[in-house]
Amino acid sequence: MITNPFDLTGKKIVITGASSGLGRQCAITINFLGGFVFLIGRNLERLQETANLLDNDRYLIIEADITDYDRTTDQLEKVLGESKIDGLIHAAGVSTTLPLRNITPQKLHSFFETNVYAGINITKLLTKTKFANPEGMSVVFIASVMGVVGELGKTIYSLTKGALVSGTKSLALELASKKIRVNCISPGVVLTPMTTKAVYTQNEEAYNLVKSLHPLGFGMPEDVANACAFLLSRGGEWITGTNLIVDGGYTAK
Ligand SMILES: NC(=O)c1ccc[n+]([C@@H]2O[C@H](COP(=O)([O-])OP(=O)(O)OC[C@H]3O[C@@H](n4cnc5c(N)ncnc54)[C@H](OP(=O)(O)O)[C@@H]3O)[C@@H](O)[C@H]2O)c1
């Protein structure tokens, strides 16, 4: 019998960054496909806005600063209880544009804390035998095309996203025997609150230039959420250790 390979009915998926942009759309898409979503973010009001966009009660809100590693671990352990987890999307992230002369070890550390360390901390917890569904689990890190190609002023951001791209491969090898797949997605520019705050958005000429670098134009959050749903689903069950580029052609040149 053929069943829908992209169906996520009953799958329990933990999502960081669920209060905004890509994480919020991942929550909506996964919930629409039948999944139960654990929504993580710091801003309770915006997490509730995400929940209000779902037309059912297949969600739980977890208000947490994921760079407070021990507290986040404690909170997740309490909320998840005996649940078996089918997937994690680490969509929380911070971006900056800084020339080398303004980079300090402290700034580097603070971007790594959210983009990389927090994602690894939660992955470590959820992939424990206690939580990982023994029938299979899928971890998706949201990296960026800036982890693969460069841009002026993007050194710190690129360093963090490149770490996710390369770490994904080793984690995939380490966790394959537990039927846990690990992949990352590298988006080009997608229209989210992060993009609204970007330097190039403040200047029409710069904005149009960045847009022109994407042959298919800027992306929408759905473009990334659909790719995430695929990697979480049975449809992606032979895919691990890869970096799925979702960039409207940005890196094709
Ligand atoms: N938009 C793009 O063009 C684009 C392109 C490539 C890659 N990405 C990546 O995609 C991911 C999502 O980006 P976005 O555009 O959706 O950004 P966004 O709209 O600014 O959302 C960022 C999310 O990260 C969460 N977050 C940040 N720091 C956190 C912390 N310490 N603890 C808990 N949550 C935290 C925020 O939650 P709170 O505000 O509730 O704390 C928010 O939900 C990021 O990793 C970004 O680097 C984005």
Side-chain angles (χ1 to χ4, degrees), residues 1-231:
M1 189 180 67
I2 295 177
T3 54
N4 181 353
F6 308 111
D7 181 36
L8 293 176
T9 301
K11 301 283 184 203
K12 292 196 171 72
I13 311 293
V14 175
I15 305 171
T16 70
S19 55
S20 182
L22 302 186
R24 170 176 284 175
Q25 185 58 47
C26 284
I28 294 168
T29 300
I30 287 156
N31 179 275
F32 173 79
L33 291 168
F36 185 104
V37 285
F38 295 92
L39 311 171
I40 305 182
R42 286 170 300 191
N43 186 309
L44 186 58
E45 202 177 314
R46 281 192 281 104
L47 284 169
Q48 192 56 58
E49 279 172 28
T50 301
N52 293 344
L53 294 166
L54 312 175
D55 65 356
N56 54 65
D57 57 3
R58 293 194 309 275
Y59 70 87
L60 267 177
I61 287 176
I62 305 170
E63 184 189 358
D65 180 339
I66 57 173
T67 62
D68 192 341
Y69 310 116
D70 292 343
R71 193 157 176 269
T72 301
T73 301
D74 287 349
Q75 280 176 283
L76 278 169
E77 278 188 322
K78 278 197 195 97
V79 173
L80 300 181
E82 302 293 309
S83 303
K84 288 291 181 197
I85 300 302
D86 300 281
L88 163 67
I89 300 174
H90 177 49
V94 280
S95 175
T96 187
T97 304
L98 274 185
L100 180 61
R101 65 177 175 278
N102 292 340
I103 294 177
T104 61
Q106 292 75 17
K107 279 185 183 150
L108 263 173
H109 181 65
S110 89
F111 282 88
F112 266 90
E113 279 194 306
T114 309
N115 293 2
V116 184
Y117 306 160
I120 297 300
N121 186 51
I122 297 175
T123 302
K124 184 177 165 189
L125 175 71
L126 299 185
T127 56
K128 284 184 176 170
T129 306
K130 178 179 175 196
F131 291 120
N133 187 338
E135 287 172 20
M137 182 181 172
S138 172
V139 175
V140 181
F141 296 114
I142 304 297
S144 164
V145 289
M146 290 299 128
V148 183
V149 294
E151 191 48 76
L152 295 181
K154 284 292 173 193
T155 302
I156 289 190
Y157 188 62
S158 293
L159 281 165
T160 65
K161 296 303 184 176
L164 289 177
V165 173
S166 53
T168 288
K169 299 182 212 287
S170 293
L171 266 181
L173 296 177
E174 183 172 334
L175 297 173
S177 62
K178 289 178 77 177
K179 289 196 191 167
I180 299 172
R181 299 183 292 109
V182 185
N183 293 290
C184 60
I185 291 180
S186 287
V189 173
V190 182
L191 299 175
T192 71
M194 181 181 274
T195 328
T196 313
K197 286 180 232 147
V199 180
Y200 55 78
T201 306
Q202 318 313 320
N203 172 306
E204 196 180 340
E205 202 180 328
Y207 183 87
N208 288 333
L209 174 68
V210 176
K211 190 175 178 187
S212 72
L213 297 174
H214 295 73
L216 295 181
F218 286 144
M220 296 304 289
E222 289 84 347
D223 296 316
V224 176
N226 291 341
C228 273
F230 164 62
L231 287 175

